[in-house]
């Protein structure tokens, strides 16, 4: 696992991701605490797509894939899985830290009244963690799968960007509604009891499972 960490978490990736989150928290203004998750989800999805796009393609560009082909597909898939776990775990911790940093910098107000109800704030934070975990995994695996398919990380990032622009828009919200991959962002933030956004995250989970199932075949044929 130590080898995988060194490969997929080089200093430059950690540096630009931390810088991205800090700048995002400074520039993206929020007024109420229930807007923090909305402000973070879409940008972090884009960060995940860029961050995970080279998970395996770097082996192709460096010609190490010629050696990788000598190993059984199970070993190669297991190696990729380890790298994805490391990267997604790092991004998840960064997303959690971003929520806290945003609250410290922006000092948002509670939605209902001036008195902060700790229980409600903690609940919103854990709901955010659940939603952002699915978002990060979906966009990370999507960019990685597309990069492997095209054998080019920029093609993977570009396709993700097109999907991101489409779904993270009023048009995407109007067409897909609660089934949008960004259903958490477009939910009714004034009604914490509305859980219809879970439908969109369910779609993400299903797509994650599908991509996970076809990835070994893509690696076998394109890797």
């Amino acid at each position: 696992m130590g080898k995988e960490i060194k490969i997929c978490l080089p200093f430059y990736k950690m540096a630009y991701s931390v810088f991205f989150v800090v700048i995002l928290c400074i520039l993206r203004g929020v007024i109420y605490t229930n807007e923090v998750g909305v402000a973070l989800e879409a940008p972090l999805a884009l960060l995940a797509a860029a961050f995970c796009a080279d998970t395996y393609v770097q082996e192709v560009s460096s010609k190490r894939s010629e050696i990788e082909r000598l190993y059984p597909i199970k070993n190669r898939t297991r190696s990729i899985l380890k790298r994805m776990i490391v990267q997604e775990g790092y991004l998840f911790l960064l997303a959690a830290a971003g929520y806290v940093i945003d609250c410290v910098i922006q000092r948002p107000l509670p939605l209902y009244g001036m008195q902060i109800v700790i229980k409600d704030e903690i609940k919103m934070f854990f709901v955010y963690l659940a939603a952002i975990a699915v978002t990060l995994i979906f966009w990370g695996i999507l960019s990685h799968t597309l990069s492997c398919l095209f054998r080019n990380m920029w093609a993977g990032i570009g396709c993700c960007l097109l999907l991101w622009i489409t779904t993270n828009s009023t048009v995407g919200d109007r067409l897909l509604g609660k089934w949008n991959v960004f259903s958490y962002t477009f939910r009714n933030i004034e009604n914490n009891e509305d859980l219809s956004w879970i439908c969109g995250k369910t779609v993400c989970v299903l797509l994650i499972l599908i991509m996970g199932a076809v990835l070994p075949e893509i690696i076998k044929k394109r890797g």
Side-chain angles (χ1 to χ4, degrees):
M1 183 62 78
K3 176 185 176 182
E4 307 300 340
I5 293 175
K6 290 181 180 180
I7 292 175
C8 64
L9 282 184
F11 175 76
Y12 80 91
K13 291 181 72 172
M14 298 176 67
Y16 81 66
S17 59
V18 171
F19 180 77
F20 177 87
V21 171
V22 172
I23 294 300
L24 175 64
C25 292
I26 294 175
L27 299 181
R28 189 71 181 269
V30 294
I31 299 176
Y32 298 104
T33 52
N34 59 345
E35 297 175 348
V36 176
V38 174
L40 293 176
E41 186 189 23
L44 288 177
L46 204 56
L47 174 63
F51 199 87
C52 299
D54 67 342
T55 301
Y56 184 75
V57 175
Q58 58 184 315
E59 304 293 336
V60 176
S61 60
S62 64
K63 304 300 182 182
R64 290 196 298 265
S65 61
E66 301 299 326
I67 299 177
E68 290 281 339
R69 289 182 178 181
L70 300 177
Y71 295 97
I73 190 65
K74 288 184 178 179
N75 292 40
R76 295 158 67 185
T77 304
R78 190 179 300 117
S79 177
I80 292 173
L81 179 60
K82 288 180 180 179
R83 295 181 190 182
M84 290 301 298
I85 290 175
V86 169
Q87 291 179 118
E88 295 289 0
Y90 167 77
L91 289 172
F92 179 76
L93 293 176
L94 190 60
Y99 190 100
V100 176
I101 294 171
D102 208 344
C103 289
V104 171
I105 294 177
Q106 299 291 340
R107 297 184 181 277
L109 301 172
L111 180 61
Y112 301 108
M114 295 300 295
Q115 183 177 1
I116 297 179
V117 181
I118 301 299
K119 181 180 178 181
D120 291 340
E121 296 301 319
I122 292 176
K123 180 180 177 181
M124 278 195 296
F125 178 63
F126 279 104
V127 168
Y128 161 78
L129 291 181
I132 202 65
V134 176
T135 297
L136 293 174
I137 295 172
F138 171 72
W139 288 95
I141 290 183
L142 178 63
S143 67
H144 169 251
T145 302
L146 291 172
S147 295
C148 290
L149 183 63
F150 294 109
R151 293 174 60 88
N152 187 299
M153 63 173 287
W154 296 111
I157 294 174
C159 291
C160 284
L161 179 60
L162 291 176
L163 180 63
W164 185 89
I165 292 173
T166 303
T167 53
N168 185 38
S169 65
T170 54
V171 174
D173 179 40
R174 187 167 61 251
L175 293 176
L176 300 175
K178 65 180 181 179
W179 302 102
N180 194 339
V181 293
F182 285 118
S183 56
Y184 175 79
T185 294
F186 291 108
R187 76 193 192 285
N188 181 8
I189 61 175
E190 296 183 3
N191 181 11
N192 291 330
E193 302 302 321
D194 181 14
L195 299 178
S196 61
W197 58 270
I198 293 179
C199 294
K201 295 308 167 188
T202 302
V203 171
C204 289
V205 172
L206 293 175
L207 292 174
I208 289 169
L209 294 176
I210 292 172
M211 287 185 287
V214 302
L215 185 58
E217 286 300 317
I218 295 177
I219 294 296
K220 184 177 180 179
K221 293 181 179 180
R222 302 291 291 164

